[in-house]
Every structure is written in structure tokens, then in C-alpha cells.
Amino acid sequence: MPSFSAKHFGRYVAVVLILVAIVFVYRHVPANPTTVALTFLIMVLLTAAFWGFRVAMVLSVLATAAFNFFFLPPVGAFTIADPQNWIALFAFLVTAVVASDLAERARNQANQATEQRLNVEHLYGLSQKLMTVETVPELMNAIPVFVVESFGGAGAALISNVKPTVYRSTPDVAIDAETLRNTLARGESTQQNNVSYFPVRLGVRTVGALAMVGVEVPRQTADAIGSLVGTAIERTRAVDELATSRAARESEQLRSALLDSVTHEFRTPLTSIKASVTTLQEASLSDNATRTELLTIINEETDRLNRLVGEAAEMARLDSRVITLQRRPLALSELVETVLDELRPSLRKHLIEVELPKDLPEVYADFDRIRQVLTHLVENATKYSGDDTPIRISAELKGDFVVTSVADRGPGIDSFEQTLIFDKFYRGERQRYAAAGTGMGLAISKVLVEAHGGTLTVVSQIGQGSVFSFTLPIART
């Protein structure tokens, strides 16, 4: 308060000095009374525009007295000889007062317009920041910080109608938590100890309360802030509920897909095993070749079941990001040779073409993991390709990566499905029941390749076949 009074006292002293300077100049420079009166009037207008109506009123009275004493006859006295000069003096005083009032109003309106523009800018900035937060806990912690960043002040605090927790912009914000809770309960604004408390509303419903320290918040601005915050809270809650509902729906769909896929895949080998065991039990087989064939079927189908269970367990581990890589420099030729040797029985009906450049550098990878990837790609090629069709395995160097490709002459994959085949349990519409599989192989392969820092992609055309390619970093010497 003392600094405020000193500032205004300085303004009064300044206008008196300026008035004295004008009188001094016109006393030594010949000028008619009209010129002097206009000069005084301009000074009054400028004072009202920059320093306010009160200072201008004081100047108007002093200017009227100076005009009478120094420039209206008889000069040097506060009396006026000519009645017309009374009219001129009164007209000057009225004009100065009215002009001061108009200038003060114009200044106030300009200040209000500037303040409103700034408030709109701050509200817009606050709304943009509130839109960037997607979860309710994160939003509740961020709102006080955003309010301080947008409107200034020493701090802010927020409470919602869902939890009694008070969220603060900084831990040491000096607000009265009980007053904040009362504001929430009553839905009324209040001002205490340089702290503004006002409700956060969504329509007519109070959903919280906000406190701002060290900044005076107009009623309209407080209502706008409360509406923005309330809308943001409800929007984020709705997004959270929608995400939860969607996740539950997708989880149910995933369970259905898993059940359908696993049931279908387990039933086939179990049927073969059951039939073989039943035949062995009921028949007296003297033919060793037949017995060997049935036992071979049981062995193969048991391996198939074991592989299905292994894929499910592997997918669970990969979903939890539990991936351990034993990486070392390895030659792709060694990898390809191992895979083809393991898959030799299933490759007998296909022509295998291998094209690996002799100067191809070694890759830095986990042998078993990448063998798993290549095995699945080759098995897919045999599964979805007709008999006697070629399967081509090739590799080339591209920058710091080696690109390995497996090409087949199968039915191809629709462009829409190319974006889905790497999802868990997804199987193509036309191959869903035509070929065995759970839809986990490509998903597992993609995760394993990405764990090596590479990518797994597909290029396909209906009726022309598909090319699956994965990249691996080269081994640094």
C-alpha cells in the first residue's frame, strides 16, 4: 500500500510541474487565451488516458485556476472582468472534466479488452494442455501445474468429488484443504488470504474445486477455468471407461479365438493318436510295418502337440517381454542348412532353391531364436504352397543389415490381411480351416526379430505367392 500511495503522489507532483512549465512558457511566449486553453485541455486528456480520472480531475481544477489567474484579465487575480470570460472558464472546466471522464472510460475499456484477450489466450492454452493427458490420475496431477503455467500465481490445488486427495502444483502450496473441501461441498466461490477458491463444474453439477494462490481471478474467468477442468476430467474418465470396455471386449475375443484355434489344433493330433492307439489295442497286428507306421503317427502327433504347447508358452513369455538372447556372430549358410535338415521330411514334395552370396557377412544373432523364425517361415511356405512348387531362400546385404527372404508360390495374401497376419491368433480367411496352425508363429517370429533390432515384413500378391523377409544386423569385427 505505501508504494501505491507514493506512485500516485509522484503523478500529482508531475502534473503540477508540467502545469507550471506550460504557464512559464506561455507567459514568456505571446499566445492568445484559446491556445493556452487547448494546451491545458490536451494535457488533461493525456493525463486521463495514462494516469486515470482522479489525477486528471485535479489537473482540471488546477488548470482552470491557472488559466484564470495568468491568462484571463485582470491578469494576476482570481477575478474576471468580462462576463464572457466566465462562460469561457466554465466551458473549459466542463470540457476538461467530461474529456477526462471519456478518456478514463476509453482507457478502462482498452484495459478490459486486453485483459479479456489475455484470459482467452490463457484459457485456450489451458484447454490445449488438458487435451494432451489421457488418463485420470495423470490429469489430476497435471491440472494444478497447467493452471499455474497458464495463469501464473504462486501455486494451485485441486480436489475432485471422487477422491478426497488434494492434488497440488507443488508440495508446499499454501492452501487451506478444509476450505477447498467446503468449496466442493457448497459449490460457491470464496477468497481467503490471497487465495481464490472456486468450484469445478460440468454443467450444473459440481465435480471438484480449485484453489489459486497469489492471483486474483475474475468471476467469469473462474467459471471458465472450472468448466474447462470439469470437461477435461469427465472426458478423460469417459476415455478410460471406453478403453477398459474395449480391452475387456478384445480380451473376450482373444479368448474365443484362442479357444477356437487351440481346440481345432489339438483335436486333430489327438484324433490321430486315439485312432492309432485303438487300432493297436484292438487288432492283433503281425505286420511290423503297420505297427511301425501307427507308432510313427503317434510319435509325430505327440511332437505336434508338444510344439503347440511350446508355442503357447513362448507367446506368453514374449508378451511379458521375457526374452533372453544369446547373440553371437553366425553364418546364415549354417542356419539355413540346419533348418532344411530338420525339415527335410516335410520338404520332400517341394523344390528348395537356396541363393546365398559367398561374400555375405555374418549376422549378430541368437542361433536358436533365428532358427525358430526361419523354421516357421519355411514351414508356412510348405503349408500354403501346392506340391511340386518351388520355395526360394535368399539373402542380401543392405547397409548394416542382412535381409533374408523366404518366397513361395502359394495363393498369396490379400493387401488388407497383410496388416493383420502378424497379430496373435490371426489366420487368413481362406486358410483358416484349410491348413493347420494356431496363428501364433508369425507373431512370435516378429517379436523375436524385433528383439534383435530387425524387422519382419511381407510382400504378396493374390495368385502369385508371398515373400517374407526379415533383417538382422551384421556382426561387427
Side-chain angles (χ1 to χ4, degrees):
M1 197 67 176
S3 60
F4 178 82
S5 300
K7 179 178 68 175
H8 280 71
F9 178 76
R11 291 177 179 178
Y12 291 128
V13 172
V15 296
V16 170
L17 293 177
I18 294 173
L19 182 64
V20 171
I22 293 174
V23 171
F24 179 80
V25 170
Y26 281 125
R27 289 288 291 173
H28 293 81
V29 177
N32 57 51
T34 302
T35 302
V36 177
L38 290 175
T39 303
F40 284 149
L41 187 59
I42 291 173
M43 181 183 174
V44 170
L45 290 175
L46 293 176
T47 302
F50 291 100
W51 288 346
F53 179 72
R54 292 184 179 181
V55 181
M57 277 297 300
V58 172
L59 179 60
S60 298
V61 174
L62 293 178
T64 301
F67 185 55
N68 178 12
F69 188 83
F70 292 105
F71 300 102
L72 290 180
V75 175
F78 285 104
T79 58
I80 300 177
D82 190 347
Q84 291 185 354
N85 288 337
W86 278 107
I87 298 175
L89 187 63
F90 181 75
F92 171 79
L93 180 61
V94 171
T95 302
V97 172
V98 172
S100 299
D101 182 61
L102 292 176
E104 172 72 3
R105 290 184 182 183
R107 187 172 70 92
N108 290 337
Q109 290 177 356
N111 290 338
Q112 291 176 1
T114 301
E115 183 178 351
Q116 290 176 356
R117 177 180 61 81
L118 292 175
N119 283 336
V120 169
E121 290 178 356
H122 294 157
L123 288 170
Y124 176 76
L126 177 62
S127 67
Q128 294 298 103
K129 292 177 180 177
L130 294 175
M131 291 291 289
T132 61
V133 185
E134 297 297 335
T135 63
V136 174
E138 183 182 359
L139 178 67
M140 299 301 289
N141 284 286
I143 285 174
V145 178
F146 290 162
V147 169
V148 173
E149 290 176 353
S150 299
F151 292 90
L158 172 71
I159 190 173
S160 73
N161 61 345
V162 177
K163 289 184 178 181
T165 305
V166 177
Y167 302 90
R168 305 169 187 262
S169 57
T170 56
D172 56 345
V173 173
I175 62 104
D176 185 359
E178 189 62 30
T179 303
L180 189 62
R181 294 187 181 94
N182 291 337
T183 302
L184 170 62
R186 298 173 183 174
E188 298 177 354
S189 302
T190 185
Q191 182 83 23
Q192 290 184 7
N193 301 325
N194 200 32
V195 182
S196 297
Y197 299 88
F198 52 90
V200 173
R201 290 192 176 96
L202 185 66
V204 296
R205 182 164 58 95
T206 301
V207 297
L210 193 63
M212 297 178 63
V213 182
V215 57
E216 185 176 351
V217 184
R219 176 65 179 271
Q220 292 181 341
T221 303
D223 291 343
I225 295 174
S227 297
L228 279 177
V229 172
T231 303
I233 293 174
E234 290 301 307
R235 177 192 67 82
T236 309
R237 285 176 181 167
V239 170
D240 275 357
E241 292 175 0
L242 179 62
T244 302
S245 174
R246 182 179 299 172
R249 186 169 61 251
E250 290 179 353
S251 178
E252 182 62 30
Q253 292 174 349
L254 186 60
R255 283 195 297 268
S256 299
L258 177 59
L259 181 61
D260 177 69
S261 178
V262 170
T263 301
H264 176 75
E265 287 304 309
F266 272 63
R267 182 179 291 119
T268 302
L270 285 174
T271 301
S272 299
I273 293 172
K274 179 66 175 178
S276 299
V277 171
T278 303
T279 303
L280 287 171
Q281 287 178 336
E282 295 179 353
S284 176
L285 299 176
S286 58
D287 185 358
N288 289 332
T290 303
R291 291 176 58 86
T292 302
E293 182 180 357
L294 291 173
L295 291 173
T296 301
I297 292 174
I298 294 174
N299 184 60
E300 290 177 351
E301 295 302 331
T302 304
D303 288 341
R304 181 177 173 186
L305 282 174
N306 185 57
R307 185 171 67 253
L308 290 173
V309 174
E311 285 184 350
E314 180 75 0
M315 194 73 253
R317 285 195 298 270
L318 296 180
D319 276 346
S320 61
R321 299 299 174 185
V322 180
I323 305 176
T324 302
L325 299 178
Q326 304 293 331
R327 303 174 73 176
R328 63 177 177 84
L330 61 92
L332 273 180
S333 57
E334 175 190 357
L335 178 68
V336 172
E337 183 179 348
T338 301
V339 171
L340 294 181
D341 187 59
E342 291 176 350
L343 299 178
R344 193 173 304 280
S346 61
L347 298 177
R348 278 178 277 184
K349 297 181 180 180
H350 296 274
L351 175 63
I352 306 300
E353 301 175 355
V354 180
E355 296 182 9
L356 302 177
K358 293 182 179 180
D359 59 347
L360 192 68
E362 292 183 328
V363 295
Y364 188 60
D366 184 314
F367 183 88
D368 291 331
R369 296 291 193 175
I370 298 304
R371 177 176 57 83
Q372 184 179 354
V373 172
L374 186 58
T375 298
H376 181 77
L377 295 182
V378 175
E379 283 184 332
N380 265 13
T382 60
K383 189 185 301 181
Y384 295 107
S385 300
D387 293 346
D388 300 323
T389 56
I391 295 174
R392 181 170 173 265
I393 303 174
S394 61
E396 60 178 327
L397 179 64
K398 284 190 177 180
D400 294 332
F401 290 85
V402 172
V403 182
T404 306
S405 302
V406 178
D408 62 55
R409 296 288 180 84
I413 305 170
D414 185 82
S415 58
F416 170 74
E417 289 189 318
Q418 290 178 27
T419 63
L420 302 174
I421 58 174
F422 296 106
D423 293 342
K424 289 181 295 185
F425 309 115
Y426 181 83
R427 302 187 65 206
E429 293 290 339
R430 290 174 299 189
Q431 288 79 33
R432 184 164 297 174
Y433 301 106
T438 59
M440 289 187 289
L442 284 177
I444 292 173
S445 299
K446 185 173 187 293
V447 174
L448 290 178
V449 171
E450 290 178 348
H452 284 79
T455 57
L456 176 59
T457 57
V458 61
V459 176
S460 185
Q461 185 177 352
I462 297 296
Q464 301 297 321
S466 305
V467 180
F468 285 86
S469 303
F470 63 91
T471 63
L472 293 171
I474 62 174
R476 299 292 184 182
T477 56

